[in-house]
Amino acid sequence: MAVETIDLRSDTVTQPTEEMRRAMAEAAVGDDVFGEDPTVNRLEAEAARRLGKEAGLFVASGTMGNLVAVLSHCGRGDEIILGNTSHTFMYEAGGVAALGGVHPHPLPVLEDGTIPLEAIRAAIRAENIHYPPTRLIALENAQGSMTGTPVPKAYMDAVGELAHAHGLALHVDGARIFNAATALDCDVADLVAAADSVTFCLSKGLCAPVGSVLVGSQEFIARARRMRKIVGGGMRQVGVLAAAGLVALGKMSTRLAEDHRNARRLAEGLAQIPDFAIDPQRVRTNIVYVTLGGNARMGARAIAGALTERGVRVLAMDDQHIRAVTHYWIRSEHIERALQAFHEVLP
Ligand SMILES: *Cc1c(COP(=O)(O)O)cnc(C)c1O
């Protein structure tokens, strides 16, 4: 009999729930490029309402959402200020430069997920023919690279104020914005109130099989709809996917505290292993990063390999760092079993 795998590599591994599969089978659909898919229209309206914006756009992935947002805010030769460990700078294949001709201006992200306001202010270009014009500031919330740290509303508001004072727009990569809002115990619309546009993923902790939504003003989303077409993201009877997204947005967005408790428990257990350096207090959402100390008995890749043999999967980021992410399909007993496997590998 196959042993059930405890897959902690990412919250992207989440399978759709039974309710999602039923909703997908029964979804009313139409041609969404003609604006005629009622289920997509419902998802876009509901996403906009939840995030406090005028309109929404269903896209194939978070990467597509961020790319379409940047293409809609910026022209060729414009500059975007963003974090040097942000997903858009690190993990989106350089799409903003490759496809948009947009010049990235990366700034160091602190452990608390913020970029100091003074650093952003100093990075905004003065009018000068030598400089690419700054057009956009992009923040990430929760900040994935910093153990999924939620970034508080006061900071988001301050960056929004700075952006708008300089005639710039603020985009928020909110792939895990519901995790951030849950951890901060604040309303998600309040958290992104200062943003001109936001993307969030339906396919991570929210369990939908595919999709993200980009939200913003009516006028912005009309432009984004054209940009989505340019990148080949105009999909047809895509209500079958939006149906799962509606369940994700409605039901799954309110249960994330459980994933956060499991992540904290995992971090506390891992902190007992002498090879690891980890501060469980920093784990506030569903991402756990473990740093291997100088005295570690094995490298991260060897540990991940040995765990796989015991039915537990984690991600070796390099040979010094391991990532584990909790999600809907991980229950507290899985955390205990995963910790037991870690202890077997590093007795
Ligand atoms: C996952 C993620 C994305 C988008 O990822 P896709 O795999 O393209 O959906 C964007 N930003 C952040 C912070 C993410 O974690």
Side-chain angles (χ1 to χ4, degrees):
M1 198 183 83
V3 180
E4 183 194 12
T5 299
I6 300 169
D7 198 341
L8 297 163
R9 286 173 300 166
S10 177
D11 45 10
T12 57
V13 303
T14 45
Q15 301 266 325
T17 63
E18 276 309 312
E19 185 180 359
M20 286 178 186
R21 289 179 188 273
R22 263 199 314 280
M24 292 172 78
E26 292 164 7
V29 296
D31 190 324
D32 181 51
V33 174
F34 294 164
E36 290 173 3
D37 189 303
T39 309
V40 172
N41 291 343
R42 209 147 53 83
L43 173 63
E44 290 177 346
E46 182 57 18
R49 189 187 68 74
R50 281 290 289 282
L51 276 85
K53 305 298 178 200
E54 288 174 6
L57 184 71
F58 185 53
V59 290
S61 66
T63 298
M64 184 184 278
N66 287 331
L67 175 63
V68 162
V70 173
L71 294 177
S72 305
H73 284 297
C74 303
R76 298 188 70 80
D78 286 346
E79 191 167 69
I80 172 179
I81 294 171
L82 76 183
N84 66 343
T85 60
S86 68
H87 194 278
T88 299
F89 186 62
M90 292 292 291
Y91 303 120
E92 295 175 13
V96 302
L99 302 182
V102 177
H103 191 246
H105 191 153
L107 298 177
V109 179
L110 305 184
E111 273 199 355
D112 68 357
T114 67
I115 303 166
L117 278 179
E118 315 79 68
I120 298 176
R121 194 177 289 112
I124 297 171
R125 307 279 190 163
E127 180 61 41
N128 181 318
I129 62 158
H130 295 88
Y131 297 156
T134 310
R135 198 69 69 198
L136 180 65
I137 300 171
L139 296 177
E140 184 175 310
N141 199 1
Q143 179 64 45
S145 62
M146 298 301 168
T147 200
T149 294
V151 180
K153 172 180 166 58
Y155 173 80
M156 308 280 287
D157 286 350
V159 175
E161 204 172 299
L162 178 63
H164 299 143
H166 288 82
L168 312 177
L170 172 63
H171 173 69
V172 173
D173 176 357
R176 297 190 181 85
I177 197 69
F178 288 99
N179 294 89
T182 300
L184 296 166
D185 196 21
C186 77
D187 179 66
V188 70
D190 271 351
L191 187 55
V192 299
D196 299 284
S197 58
V198 185
T199 46
F200 69 93
C201 289
L202 297 163
S203 59
K204 290 189 169 163
L206 304 188
C207 274
V210 179
S212 287
V213 185
L214 170 64
V215 297
S217 69
Q218 293 280 4
E219 181 266 333
F220 173 81
I221 291 298
R223 255 183 295 140
R225 203 170 281 282
R226 179 183 298 271
M227 290 302 168
R228 185 186 67 175
K229 196 80 183 84
I230 287 178
V231 298
M235 299 179 284
R236 302 296 177 170
Q237 285 72 29
V238 71
V240 288
L241 297 180
L246 277 163
V247 178
L249 187 57
K251 294 236 169 118
M252 307 304 275
S253 62
T254 58
R255 55 150 303 281
L256 296 167
E258 185 185 336
D259 299 344
H260 300 175
R261 280 193 295 276
N262 284 336
R264 177 65 70 89
R265 167 68 195 123
L266 179 64
E268 285 166 352
L270 293 175
Q272 304 302 312
I273 297 175
D275 306 69
F276 296 157
I278 175 171
D279 177 3
Q281 296 300 319
R282 285 193 58 213
V283 175
R284 295 179 60 197
T285 61
N286 66 331
I287 304 178
V288 179
Y289 273 104
V290 180
T291 302
L292 274 71
N295 57 345
R297 287 167 282 175
M298 289 167 81
R301 292 188 187 91
I303 293 171
L307 288 170
T308 301
E309 289 170 17
R310 287 165 177 81
V312 175
R313 304 209 62 186
V314 296
L315 213 58
M317 305 298 287
D318 51 37
D319 225 25
Q320 251 78 60
H321 297 91
I322 292 172
R323 188 182 86 164
V325 184
T326 58
H327 52 77
Y328 179 72
W329 298 104
I330 299 295
R331 296 183 304 274
S332 61
E333 61 264 32
H334 294 131
I335 297 296
E336 300 312 320
R337 273 168 51 200
L339 285 170
Q340 193 186 330
F342 268 100
H343 280 288
E344 284 171 23
V345 171
L346 294 163

